[in-house]
Every structure is written in C-alpha cells, then in structure tokens.
Amino acid sequence: MVVIVAILLTVVASTACSIGKALQKEATSNLPKFSLDNEKVIQQYRQSGTWLVGVALDVGGGIVQTVAFAMAPVSLLQPVSGIGLVGLALYSHFYLRENLRSEEWMAVGIATLGTVGLGSTSGGGVEQEEAQPGAIRMLFTLLVVGYGVVKMTGVRERYMKGQKGLSKVSAALYGLQAGGCFGLSASTIRTGFIMASSRRWTWAPFGLICGVGLSSYGFVLQTCGLKEGSAVIVCTCVAVVAMVVGVVVGILGLGESMPSSPGSLVVRLCSWACIMYGVVVLSGGVKVVRELIAAGIGLIPARYWHHVPDGIAVKMKNWMNSVQHDQGLPEKHAAATHVARD
C-alpha cells in the first residue's frame, strides 16, 4: 500500500512539475536569457508572475516527489514521473482548450496503462527492502553518473562556441544535462534515506541537501534550455534522461531488484516502454525524434567529417536542413559539402 501511495504522489508531483515548466516557457518568451551573473535579468524574472507560479509548481512538485522517494525505490518511481506530460496534456485540453489529436489521446491511455503496470509489479516494496547495497557501491555509481552529467557542460560549451542565435542542439544539451541532474537528485535523496536507515541518521539530511542542490542546478539548466530553443526538445530530454538515470542508479547502485517472476518482469519492462512511448508522442512524436537525431549529428566534431564521403555528407546536410532550418553542419563539413556540389 505504501508503494501505491508513493506512485500516486509521483503522478501528482510530476504533473505539477510539467505544468510549471509550461508556464516557465510561456514566461521566458518575454524575458531575456537567464543569467545568475546579471542582477537586472534576475530581477525581471522575479517580477514575472507567470514565471514565479511556474517555479512554485515545479518546486512544490519536487518537494512532493521527495516524500515519495522516501517511501519507494527510485527505479520504480522515476519512470512514473514521465506521466507528468499526460497531466500537462490533460491540463492543456480541459483548461487551455487545446484539443488533443487521436494519437495523443492514445498516448495518454498507454502511458497511464504503463503507470498502472508499474504499480501492479511493485510487490509492496518487499523485494526492495531486502536489498542492502554497500556504501561504496552506492556512492561510486552516483559519482560515475555525476561525472557524465558534469562532462556535458564541456560538450555544450564547445558546441556553443562560435554559434549565433538560438539552437535546437544547445537546447537539447541543456535538457540532457537538466534531466541528468533531476535523475541524480532523486537517486541521492533515496541513497540518503537508505544509508540513514542502516548507518547514521545524518545521511538523510545530507542526501536531501545534495538533492536540492542538484534540482536547483537542473532548474537553471532547464530555464536556459527553454529560452534557448524548443520546449518540446527540452522537456523530452529532461523526462527521458531522468527516467534512464533513475533506473540505472536504482538497479546498479542501490540494489533495487527487478520482479522475480518472469510474468511480472515482462509487465515491468512493458510498463517502462508504455511510459516512454507516451512521453515521446506527447512531446512531438516522430518529429521530435528526428530533431533529436539531427541535434546529435550536429554534435559530431568537425575533424570526423573529413572521413565522411562527400555524397553522404551532402545527403546528411540536406536532411538536417529539412529537419532543423536554423541548424547546419559544422563549419568544416559545410565547406566540404560545397566542394562536393561544385
């Protein structure tokens, strides 16, 4: 019963966070790019009522989510957080009067079915309580995943150097890093509660402090991403990466077990797939997948393009231009394609 309550709290929290992100995106359309170094910019954000409501919903959802993580495994709850886009879709339909297409209604139903499936395979939390991983294993997993999230900063900065205007690639990178921060936040909070139960109680507040810090940094990255480019790209990256990080850290680092029976295991995997499908469709479907692929191609360093045949390079450039009108290939590669055309 405790796990079911945690899942319900996660649904409420993720819905609040998703609606909060939508309000923040609406507000940033009339605000300058967020910067912690510019007091005037910060003041403009503070004076934006829509942005403040969005942040309040986002933060409030995060607090409720923290309570849920104290009650159930992160590998079970983090995928459920993707259901927040379902809540956002329903909010848009009934409150904002934005009609949903038939495939979007189908995605709402499939994602909801996935959430119910996760609840049916929770096992009441018995399996997870038996797992007591070592402190070194938990901390090492968090550090490895955290290192990957930190390295994303260098990738983003190298890409953005020399870029002019808005870019879907940089928006995607902001979303990926923000999602990593949110996933790590959930994992560190859960780690703190686990270690507090078997070691010193001080691990619980330490985990909460680390989780709040990671979430706060994630909010900053998310805000920059929403201002930089497409909200669809940012929200999709945040939801998918947070889900993956939560599952990986939960299973590998925190020793959270999968269902023991083959039937329950299949249901758990299918439930993850259903939620992932719902997230992608509600975020833009095939279009957003194509944009993410194009964004990924745009990250390939220029030195590697010299090894790509000119004919293939031209086709890739044309395809990328058809997907992202404001995004071209790296400068050296673009030159190669001009040579190929001549």
Side-chain angles (χ1 to χ4, degrees):
M1 183 62 184
V2 174
V3 176
I4 301 301
V5 172
I7 290 176
L8 293 175
L9 288 176
T10 300
V11 171
V12 173
S14 59
T15 299
C17 289
S18 294
I19 295 175
K21 289 178 178 63
L23 293 176
Q24 290 174 65
K25 174 59 180 177
E26 179 184 347
T28 56
S29 61
N30 299 316
L31 293 170
K33 185 175 181 179
F34 188 83
S35 174
L36 291 174
D37 299 326
N38 193 324
E39 183 62 32
K40 292 183 179 179
V41 171
I42 295 177
Q43 188 63 28
Q44 290 184 55
Y45 275 81
R46 288 175 179 170
Q47 294 174 350
S48 173
T50 302
W51 187 79
L52 290 176
V53 172
V55 170
L57 285 172
D58 222 345
V59 173
I63 294 174
V64 175
Q65 186 69 82
T66 300
V67 175
F69 285 135
M71 303 166 65
V74 66
S75 62
L76 181 68
L77 297 183
Q78 193 63 54
V80 177
S81 63
I83 205 72
L85 287 178
V86 172
L88 176 60
L90 296 176
Y91 168 81
S92 300
H93 178 78
F94 293 107
Y95 184 76
L96 300 181
R97 305 301 179 186
E98 297 178 356
N99 294 326
L100 297 179
R101 300 190 302 271
S102 57
E103 60 267 28
E104 291 174 331
W105 278 115
M106 183 180 295
V108 168
I110 291 176
T112 303
L113 181 63
T115 303
V116 174
L118 286 179
S120 67
T121 62
S122 63
V126 176
E127 296 179 30
Q128 286 76 10
E129 290 177 358
E130 296 174 355
Q132 291 293 333
I136 295 179
R137 173 182 170 182
M138 290 188 286
L139 297 178
F140 177 76
T141 305
L142 289 173
L143 288 175
V144 170
V145 177
Y147 176 76
V149 173
V150 171
K151 289 293 289 182
M152 287 295 299
T153 301
V155 175
R156 188 184 70 248
E157 290 177 350
R158 285 196 299 271
Y159 174 80
M160 293 179 67
K161 188 177 297 184
Q163 292 290 321
K164 296 180 180 180
L166 303 181
S167 168
K168 291 180 180 178
V169 176
S170 57
L173 289 172
Y174 275 120
L176 290 173
Q177 196 170 15
C181 287
F182 293 138
L184 277 175
S185 173
S187 302
T188 54
I189 291 172
R190 181 63 181 171
T191 300
F193 285 126
I194 292 176
M195 296 186 69
S197 65
S198 58
R199 294 171 179 82
R200 295 176 62 88
W201 65 269
T202 51
W203 278 105
F206 180 73
L208 285 171
I209 292 173
C210 292
V212 170
L214 286 165
S215 292
S216 300
Y217 186 49
F219 286 137
V220 173
L221 291 170
Q222 177 183 275
T223 300
C224 292
L226 291 173
K227 184 62 181 177
E228 188 73 22
S230 170
V232 167
I233 294 290
V234 175
C235 291
T236 301
C237 291
V238 168
V240 172
V241 174
M243 175 178 172
V244 172
V245 169
V247 171
V248 169
V249 175
I251 294 176
L252 299 182
L254 307 185
E256 297 173 354
S257 59
M258 295 288 283
S260 56
S261 67
S264 296
L265 178 59
V266 171
V267 172
R268 174 73 62 88
L269 295 176
C270 290
S271 297
W272 284 347
C274 287
I275 293 175
M276 186 75 75
Y277 171 82
V279 168
V280 172
V281 172
L282 291 174
S283 297
V286 176
K287 178 182 178 182
V288 74
V289 173
R290 294 176 67 228
E291 290 182 350
L292 286 173
I293 293 175
I297 294 175
L299 288 175
I300 299 176
R303 61 181 180 274
Y304 293 118
W305 289 109
H306 295 298
H307 304 289
V308 179
D310 289 343
I312 296 177
V314 171
K315 291 181 179 180
M316 292 178 68
K317 178 177 174 61
N318 291 337
W319 181 79
M320 287 181 64
N321 287 336
S322 69
V323 175
Q324 297 175 293
H325 297 290
D326 62 337
Q327 179 61 44
L329 294 177
E331 186 175 341
K332 293 184 179 179
H333 176 55
T337 60
H338 286 304
V339 173
R341 285 197 183 97
D342 296 335

